[in-house]
Amino acid sequence: MEGGVAGNTVPPNSFDKSKVLDVKPLRSLLPVFPEAPNGPPFLCAPPNGPFPTGFSPFFPFSGPQGTPLTPGLNQNLFNSTAMPIRSFRAEPPPASNGENVQSSNKRKSVGPSSVKKKVKRSNDSELALAALTNFKPGIIAAEKDDGNRELVENVLMRFEALRRKLSQMEDAKESHSGIFKRANLKAGNIMFTKGVRTNGKKRIGVVPGVEIGDIFFFRMELILIGLHSQSMAGIDFMPMKADIEGERVAISIVSSGGYEDDAEDPDVLVYTGQGGNASADKEASDQKLVRGNLALERSLHRANEVRVIRGFKDATHQTSKVYVYDGLYKVQESWMEKGKTGCNMFKYKLVRLPGQTGAFSTWKSIRKWKEDPSSRDGLILPDLTSGAESIPVSLVNEVDDEKGPAYFTYVSTVKYPKSFKLVQPSYGCNCRDACQAGNSNCSCIQKNGGDFPYITTGILACRMPMIFECGSSCPCFRNCKNRVLQTGFKVHFEVFKTRDKGWGLRSWDPIRAGTFICEYAGEVIEKIKEKADGDDGENNDYVFNTNRVYESFKWNHETESAEERSDTSEKFDIPSPLIISSKNSGNIARFMNHSCSPNVFWQPIMFEHNNEAFLHIAFFAKKHIPPMTELTYDYGIPQSDETESNNMEHGKKKCLCGSLKCRGYFY
């Protein structure tokens, strides 16, 4: 369903709340679609949707919203002990006034122009915003209804690229502008307007292209791929077409800690119904058996599958949440009990269908490992780095009896020999506290083309020909946001033994797209030594070479505007080839395996040290990466001058990445 439920509001004082009425047919509760067909539906949202007071909504958030639930049923109807929900009957909806609904649906949508009225923008900002919206959807009508894995990943990557670019633009504005930063909502607005979405047709059960364990950092992502269509409400539902009464059943729920949900058992979720929570302008009240609550009750009797998305605090960004798709459940039981507020709340027991891949169970295991690292099965070392990194890196083998990789010296950065001349004269900025995005006087920002390379959360905004970070002679603070590579990684990694590719690297934490993974550490060398019989010299097993041919891909937000700035190019500009060997000394990067469809990419970064700029290779997340997913990057293909043209088979290895796009080999 593309539209909202704007016509399903309950006028105040239109019925006696002290009475429990007989169940009525729900034909009058069928959804009323707003005029804008591409907007995400809203249910039980505040009058102004997800926007704070004083912030104007914009399409698709400007459509008529469902009013907050009215106060609950008379408390005399409920006892303090738990009782089955089946003993309660649904409230009949009031008769809808077609004329009023029509006029409500014709309410003028407020577009991005409403935001412009609040904040005066420069001509450059207006041109940049116009350029961002000037792209083709590239999705046909059938794909908007039914997607696949490639399409789902494409939609999510395009949303995230647009969100990062909008965040970069917002960060560049003056801090006293007063604009409310919600780049995810703006990105969603543009995506819906352009028709960049998939799985728009509601369905029970599996959503094409969405896999158990997939993670998301915004509710908008769930809507764009059709996993859950409500931006605020935790219960999504749809009418049963075969039912002449138009009965609605629940199809997905989001459990994110807003209510008293019990989530201790990884295969059982005791979910609290919606409504009744206290807010700034109303007291807590009893929940009512309407809308999503009623849909869950009906799903209990129909025994239909319900998708469950669980939400948690983001370990690396405590103010944010991360959502994981935990698979299909069925409602097994329902009852009512007193909540912490003293008001009656509906409870639903959902049980996970057997035979599904683990998702929430993996998160619970990781939580246990963090509290007690020794509880990790197959643990060899609690910290492979011996304290060289601020966050320990576990060494784990659950496959065989091997006790670890061959000996090497752990170093956290690249080492240049004194004789090496790949340096450039460089001088730092004059910022006295921390470099601020949008500061045209900061020489480090000027080197980056006038844009801060990272958004506020430390996420890489765009791939660039070269990123210039602040260096040792810059007077800005050590924690300046333009020192992402230098402050090290922020997630908990483990080096683990794979079943068929030697040692690999993965994370205990969820990683969002653009997150800094690590630097490729080791020793800079002038050329690669070919390994001969009995020779322990350098070989291609532990070497990174910028001179290789790497498969191109689009990661930045696309635009077809003639005003596009040249510094948005994703083609690297490296002064001369850089070869780094991590055979004898290196860091966790030496354990990342090759993949023809990698989830990590590399980016050249320079920063100054003793008035000379040194080149570093940094790895960033290409997309959202769930916990315990192996981290991989593309090793590239040697150029003809690296390997004799008549001996291209030299060094070729069989690829075991398992990707649908696997080319069968790597070097």
Side-chain angles (χ1 to χ4, degrees), residues 27-87:
R27 286 188 294 271
S28 60
L29 281 178
L30 289 174
V32 178
F33 294 90
E35 289 185 347
N38 292 325
F42 281 74
L43 178 66
C44 303
N48 202 29
F51 301 90
T53 302
F55 186 85
S56 298
F58 44 82
F59 176 83
F61 306 97
S62 56
Q65 310 294 330
T67 59
L69 293 179
T70 50
L73 299 172
N74 193 314
Q75 293 198 20
N76 293 331
L77 295 174
F78 303 117
N79 297 325
S80 58
T81 57
M83 60 187 72
I85 294 181
R86 291 186 295 275
S87 63

Side-chain angles (χ1 to χ4, degrees), residues 352-422:
R352 196 168 191 258
L353 300 185
Q356 300 182 90
T357 304
F360 177 57
S361 58
T362 301
W363 290 62
K364 289 187 67 65
S365 297
I366 292 172
R367 187 183 306 169
K368 181 180 178 181
W369 301 341
K370 287 185 175 181
E371 294 172 354
D372 180 16
S374 62
S375 64
R376 175 73 171 103
D377 292 338
L379 181 69
I380 299 174
L381 287 174
D383 185 12
L384 175 69
T385 76
S386 300
E389 304 284 4
S390 59
I391 299 177
V393 177
S394 305
L395 179 63
V396 177
N397 186 351
E398 299 176 283
V399 176
D400 52 34
D401 297 328
E402 188 175 355
K403 295 304 181 182
Y407 176 81
F408 73 101
T409 302
Y410 193 97
V411 294
S412 57
T413 189
V414 66
K415 302 295 183 183
Y416 280 84
K418 291 183 178 180
S419 60
F420 204 84
K421 299 301 181 183
L422 184 60

